[in-house]
Amino acid sequence: MTLLLAFDDEAALAAKLGAALGVAPRLVARHRFPDGETRLTLPPVLPERVVLLRGLQQPNDKLTELLLAAAGARELGARHLTLVAPYLAYMRQDMAFHPGEVVSQRHLGALLASAFDAVVTVDPHLHRVATMDEVVPGRRGVALSAAPLLGAWVASRRERPVLIGPDEEAAQWVQAAARAHGFDAGVGRKHRRGDRDVVLELPPLDIAGRDVVLLDDVASTGHTLAVAARQVLARGAAAVDVAVTHALFVGDAVAALHAAGVRDVWSTDTVPHATNVVSVAPLIAQALRATTDDG
Ligand code: R5P
């Protein structure tokens, strides 16, 4: 028997995941003390296998609780602990881009490997480190992709769209989304000069009069996609929509996208957001069943 544990701010995804797995999720109870510390309460007796759902958007706020919950779960009987982090933070800092920079991906991975037996995530930003097994050394790492789900969503909404990824790293997701539906597709090149300052060179596809869908793994400030949207509209695209796996969308990111001419913004529910249209719950449930079957 596997227990699914989740935090209250992700109860919606937990319910969908529970329904897909045929289990009722249990919530971790949290009490926030006036000084900012948190008391966590788990079900007092846990089965051998526990799955903890915790997306790592706003990771700095969540990591302490996550590590405490994992350690507590082991004390209460969990022998095999799986973290389902639909969004896994700190994956983009996978090397020291400047001398002295901490390689956050490596150290966050080691921390998760010390606490969990397996880590399941969706569209992690893997680039120089290619697999989740490498991110969590000695543990089972599973990287799922929501790109085919987003591709199917786009196919249900647009006829003959052109799919464009803003940078080379998006090629994996663009290809996966385009493949099943025969979309025209391509990726650009990105040079990032600052948090809100990117220069893009989009692929030389003929997009005049076409519906363009910009596809990426994650949107944070939305700046990358806004720059891309302005460029495709300037090149004569009929309309531009956006589809992302992880809707971080900080601040006024969605408004900035619409101001840049974007029509619809679509995302999966890896990160709870008003733009969520596709659920990753069935995808995660299938992976969890396979992980359990493998022992
Ligand atoms: C990085 O390469 C990612 O794939 C995204 O393109 C990036 O994180 C988007 O960031 P922002 O929305 O802040 O431009």
Side-chain angles (χ1 to χ4, degrees), residues 87 92 125 166-167 169-170 173 190 192 194-198 200 215-226 248-250 253 257:
Y87 175 69
R92 283 166 287 185
H125 196 92
D167 52 35
E169 291 155 28
W173 301 297
K190 177 162 75 179
R192 184 176 281 285
D195 290 341
R196 289 176 168 77
D197 186 7
V198 297
L200 290 182
L215 185 93
D216 209 354
D217 58 336
V218 53
S220 173
T221 66
H223 202 81
T224 300
L225 293 169
L248 296 184
F249 289 133
V250 299
L257 287 178

Side-chain angles (χ1 to χ4, degrees), residues 202-281:
L202 292 185
L205 296 165
D206 183 8
I207 55 172
R210 303 280 302 272
D211 278 343
V212 171
V213 177
L214 301 172
L215 185 93
D216 209 354
D217 58 336
V218 53
S220 173
T221 66
H223 202 81
T224 300
L225 293 169
V227 170
R230 287 199 171 89
Q231 284 191 20
V232 299
L233 290 172
R235 278 170 48 185
V240 60
D241 304 296
V242 157
V244 294
T245 301
H246 308 297
L248 296 184
F249 289 133
V250 299
D252 64 353
V254 172
L257 287 178
H258 290 307
V262 170
R263 178 173 47 183
D264 286 332
V265 180
W266 301 312
S267 65
T268 79
D269 58 358
T270 58
V271 177
H273 192 268
T275 57
N276 293 169
V277 291
V278 170
S279 182
V280 293

Side-chain angles (χ1 to χ4, degrees), residues 46 76 99 104-106 125 131 147 185 187 194 215 218 274 277 280 286:
L46 294 177
L76 293 167
S104 315
Q105 185 196 72
R106 186 184 307 149
H125 196 92
T131 66
V187 296
L215 185 93
V218 53
V277 291
V280 293
Q286 194 182 20

Side-chain angles (χ1 to χ4, degrees), residues 13 45 66 103 106 123 129 147 154 187 190 204 237 245 278-279 292:
L13 181 56
V45 180
L66 180 70
V103 184
R106 186 184 307 149
D123 291 335
V129 171
V154 170
V187 296
K190 177 162 75 179
T245 301
V278 170
S279 182
T292 309

Side-chain angles (χ1 to χ4, degrees), residues 91-116:
M91 292 297 105
R92 283 166 287 185
Q93 187 74 30
D94 61 357
M95 62 174 276
F97 297 93
H98 302 98
E101 277 180 3
V102 174
V103 184
S104 315
Q105 185 196 72
R106 186 184 307 149
H107 303 300
L108 180 77
L111 209 58
L112 296 180
S114 71
F116 295 94

Side-chain angles (χ1 to χ4, degrees), residues 110-186:
L111 209 58
L112 296 180
S114 71
F116 295 94
D117 299 284
V119 176
V120 177
T121 189
V122 182
D123 291 335
H125 196 92
L126 299 179
H127 184 206
R128 281 153 285 256
V129 171
T131 66
M132 275 302 295
D133 281 330
E134 292 169 79
V135 173
V136 285
R139 302 297 197 176
R140 178 99 187 257
V142 178
L144 306 170
S145 182
L149 297 175
L150 285 174
W153 174 266
V154 170
S156 74
R157 289 294 183 283
R158 301 286 177 255
E159 266 182 43
R160 289 190 63 246
V162 182
L163 224 51
I164 295 183
D167 52 35
E168 287 127 324
E169 291 155 28
Q172 53 189 305
W173 301 297
V174 169
Q175 281 159 12
R179 201 176 297 133
H181 309 283
F183 297 148
D184 294 333

